[in-house]
Amino acid sequence: MKQAVFVNRDKAQFKELENMLVQHSIEIEWCATGKELLSLIADTPKGQWIDLVIMEEVLPDMNAKALVEAVTTQSPMTNCVITGTMDKKQFHDVHEGYGVLMQLPVQPGQDDARNLEDHLKKIRLIG
């Protein structure tokens, strides 16, 4: 089964994204901090990986760039999505080369969930 992890302190913030992923039979987990996510990745059995991580731009213990760097190092098959407020150019400049799938607004809604769903279909994470 495919797995997604939200790194966020407010579960309601990502409700639309969670609903969409559950409809595609993706198992959901939640972490409140980047360190918690990295521990989860480290505990993932060899030969398996977390398919998708959706994180806030600023977390209690680190920023998204530092977390993406660590995730990419530990689990190169994991796709990352960041919610935030950067304009497109700034986002591209900061995250270029780290394999970030996309940026979503801080409060993603149904349209954002559909946009993410389209991206996930393109990379064949969902059918």
Side-chain angles (χ1 to χ4, degrees):
M1 174 177 263
K2 305 236 185 250
Q3 181 182 23
V5 178
F6 291 101
V7 185
N8 183 300
R9 293 157 287 169
D10 177 12
K11 290 184 178 184
Q13 182 178 349
F14 290 161
K15 195 66 182 163
E16 296 295 336
L17 302 178
E18 180 182 23
N19 291 340
M20 179 273 293
L21 293 170
V22 167
Q23 288 175 0
H24 289 282
S25 301
I26 294 181
E27 180 183 312
I28 305 294
E29 291 205 36
W30 292 85
C31 294
T33 66
K35 287 180 184 175
E36 196 177 322
L37 172 66
L38 295 175
S39 179
L40 180 65
I41 290 171
D43 291 342
T44 301
K46 194 167 185 85
Q48 297 179 20
W49 59 87
I50 296 167
D51 299 285
L52 178 67
V53 172
I54 301 174
M55 66 186 78
E56 294 178 285
E57 188 173 65
V58 178
L59 298 161
D61 58 345
M62 65 182 69
N63 65 37
K65 182 179 180 186
L67 184 54
V68 168
E69 287 178 23
V71 168
T72 303
T73 300
Q74 289 186 22
S75 182
M77 299 300 290
T78 299
N79 294 286
C80 295
V81 172
I82 301 171
T83 63
T85 58
M86 288 185 193
D87 65 45
K88 286 183 180 187
K89 181 181 180 343
Q90 182 184 16
F91 184 82
H92 178 268
D93 291 348
V94 169
H95 298 289
E96 180 181 17
Y98 291 101
V100 176
L101 185 62
M102 65 188 299
Q103 180 184 30
L104 292 171
V106 173
Q107 291 286 342
Q110 285 185 341
D111 289 342
D112 304 306
R114 281 191 289 274
N115 189 14
L116 176 58
E117 182 178 37
D118 290 343
H119 273 75
L120 296 177
K121 284 178 181 177
K122 288 176 186 172
I123 65 169
R124 300 179 192 265
L125 190 60
I126 59 175

